[in-house]
């Protein structure tokens, strides 16, 4: 064997050994990663305002219950509206190798980078209620279409009972894309069915206190406003209280209040009927909570789930659906 042949043979063996060693390292890393994920059966949920929105509380409690049943620990972090705090918490979860991260993204584009980091670390990323490029699946709703359904119902009611005329207040949430989408659907649906309606005010409100205070001020500025629609039932529950506090008849035949999510107080008003609270887009809350955990479990097992969209359902006055959704929430 010549020196040249011997050198080529030696180099070939060295390269093969290097490739084998590299492959073994990858397998070892994958094995360690899989083992670590198997031992750490945690689903971490980052959800702004999760502790103040009644419907979200119900949904995430259902997720915790389903997680316990399936062997997962579902933990929830509420960063309020602090985007930096939310992203920093998610980065900590990435460092901790949490197997699944579920995020309600107020501003979806701001999460692309951290979502990419998570997925490169082998972590499953589920976006709640929205869709981003770097994700494994969405669990949530069709925000714009569901908002439009509420708006169209209100518009049909106004056309039927008020000749298509009225003045409307919109309680939205422009800080979040989901709020923008719901609000756009509500407004466009309302005007599609009742183009004679004038939208006299739009302001953010998602909690009962915000709904009460904002509506109180807006009714002072626009005392003849007779339609109040919101992207969250808690806000329109507050608006209903402001309506009564302003001296208006709770059963005013010219008034319409409606919201979204199907919270307990809203559903109780609809079940009873006879008030200006006339509609809610109710979330199958327990179903959504279960879907979070079940989707996470399937993705961890290598299944391709696609997006899991749970449609909201319009509940109107004295509808049997009101009682059905109340039972889902233990009422």
């Amino acid at each position: 064997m010549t020196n040249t042949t011997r050198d080529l043979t030696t180099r070939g063996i060295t390269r093969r050994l290097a490739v084998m060693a590299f492959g073994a390292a990858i397998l070892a890393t994958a094995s360690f990663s899989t083992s670590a994920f198997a031992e750490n059966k945690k689903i971490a949920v980052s959800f702004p305002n999760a502790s103040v929105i009644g419907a979200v509380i119900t949904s995430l409690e259902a997720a915790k219950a389903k997680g316990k049943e399936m062997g997962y620990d579902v933990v929830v972090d509420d960063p309020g509206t602090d985007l930096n705090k939310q992203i920093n918490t998610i980065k900590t979860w990435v460092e901790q190798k949490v197997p699944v991260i579920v995020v309600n993204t107020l501003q979806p584009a701001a999460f692309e980078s951290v979502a990419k980091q998570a997925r490169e670390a082998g972590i499953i990323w589920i976006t709640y209620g929205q869709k981003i490029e770097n994700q494994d699946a969405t669990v949530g709703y069709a925000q714009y279409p569901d908002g439009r359904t509420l708006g169209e119902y209100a518009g049909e009611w106004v056309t039927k009972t008020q000749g298509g005329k009225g003045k409307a207040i919109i309680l939205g949430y422009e800080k979040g894309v989901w709020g923008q989408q719901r609000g756009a659907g509500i407004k466009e649906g309302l005007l599609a069915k009742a183009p004679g309606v004038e939208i006299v005010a739009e302001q953010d409100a998602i909690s009962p206190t915000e709904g009460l205070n904002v509506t109180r001020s807006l009714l002072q500025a626009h005392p003849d406003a007779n339609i109040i629609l919101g992207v969250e039932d808690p806000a329109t529950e507050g608006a209903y209280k402001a309506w009564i506090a302003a001296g208006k008849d709770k059963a005013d035949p010219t008034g319409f209040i409606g919201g979204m999510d199907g919270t307990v107080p809203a559903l109780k008003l609809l079940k009873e009927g006879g008030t200006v609270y006339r509609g809610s887009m109710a979330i199958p809350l327990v179903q959504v909570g279960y879907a979070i955990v079940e989707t996470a479990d399937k993705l961890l097992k290598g299944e391709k789930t696609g997006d899991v969209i749970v449609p909201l359902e319009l509940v109107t006055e004295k509808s049997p659906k009101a009682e059905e959704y109340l039972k889902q929430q233990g009422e």
Side-chain angles (χ1 to χ4, degrees), residues 10-222:
T10 301
R11 290 174 190 168
I13 293 171
T14 302
R15 279 196 299 270
R16 285 196 297 274
L17 287 172
V19 170
M20 291 171 65
F22 181 67
I26 290 176
L27 288 172
T29 301
S31 175
F32 171 78
S33 177
T34 302
S35 174
F37 281 177
E39 292 172 6
N40 181 17
K41 297 194 71 174
K42 181 177 287 186
I43 299 171
V45 182
S46 175
F47 204 118
N49 298 310
S51 59
V52 299
I53 301 175
V56 175
I57 293 170
T58 300
S59 217
L60 295 181
E61 286 300 317
K64 290 177 183 178
K66 175 59 73 171
K68 185 175 182 180
E69 177 187 315
M70 297 178 68
Y72 291 97
D73 179 21
V74 178
V75 298
V76 178
D77 178 72
D78 177 1
T81 57
D82 190 332
L83 180 62
N84 290 329
K85 179 180 178 182
Q86 185 177 17
I87 290 176
N88 287 334
T89 298
I90 293 168
K91 286 181 177 178
T92 299
W93 289 341
V94 173
E95 292 170 1
Q96 295 172 345
K97 300 287 186 182
V98 173
V100 182
I101 296 176
V102 182
V103 182
N104 179 15
T105 58
L106 288 182
Q107 300 295 336
F111 292 83
E112 292 289 1
S113 177
V114 70
K116 184 178 180 182
Q117 292 173 26
R119 296 181 77 211
E120 286 175 348
I123 295 168
I124 298 295
W125 180 286
I126 297 173
T127 311
Y128 180 97
Q130 295 292 334
K131 192 174 183 68
I132 65 174
E133 182 179 346
N134 289 289
Q135 67 171 42
D136 293 281
T138 290
V139 173
Y141 329 104
Q143 306 284 16
Y144 174 87
D146 288 335
R148 187 173 177 108
T149 298
L150 175 64
E152 288 181 352
Y153 177 67
E156 289 168 356
W157 182 90
V158 171
T159 297
K160 181 179 178 180
T161 66
Q162 308 302 315
K165 303 292 184 181
K167 295 189 176 182
I169 291 170
I170 307 296
L171 302 179
Y173 193 67
E174 289 299 304
K175 295 177 183 176
V177 172
W178 66 269
Q180 296 168 14
Q181 292 171 344
R182 284 187 174 190
I186 288 171
K187 288 183 289 184
E188 290 173 22
L190 173 64
L191 296 177
K193 297 295 183 178
V197 168
E198 178 187 358
I199 297 176
V200 295
E202 298 179 54
Q203 196 164 326
D204 279 8
I206 59 171
S207 72
T209 301
E210 290 171 346
L212 172 63
N213 293 335
V214 167
T215 306
R216 179 186 289 135
S217 297
L218 292 177
L219 286 177
Q220 289 173 354
H222 306 281

Side-chain angles (χ1 to χ4, degrees), residues 32 38 118 121 186 209 230 242 266 294 303 313-315 320:
F32 171 78
I186 288 171
T209 301
E294 290 167 347
E303 296 183 35
E313 184 171 13
L314 177 64
V315 179

Side-chain angles (χ1 to χ4, degrees), residues 150 153-154 157-158 160-161 240 250-259 266-281 313-323:
L150 175 64
Y153 177 67
W157 182 90
V158 171
K160 181 179 178 180
T161 66
Y240 175 70
K250 72 173 186 178
D252 186 339
T254 69
F256 186 109
I257 297 178
L267 290 170
K268 284 183 175 179
L269 285 170
L270 291 169
K271 178 183 176 182
E272 180 182 348
T275 75
V276 294
Y277 211 103
R278 302 185 189 277
S280 172
M281 294 299 295
E313 184 171 13
L314 177 64
V315 179
T316 58
E317 295 176 83
K318 298 187 176 179
S319 166
K321 288 291 182 181
E323 186 169 2

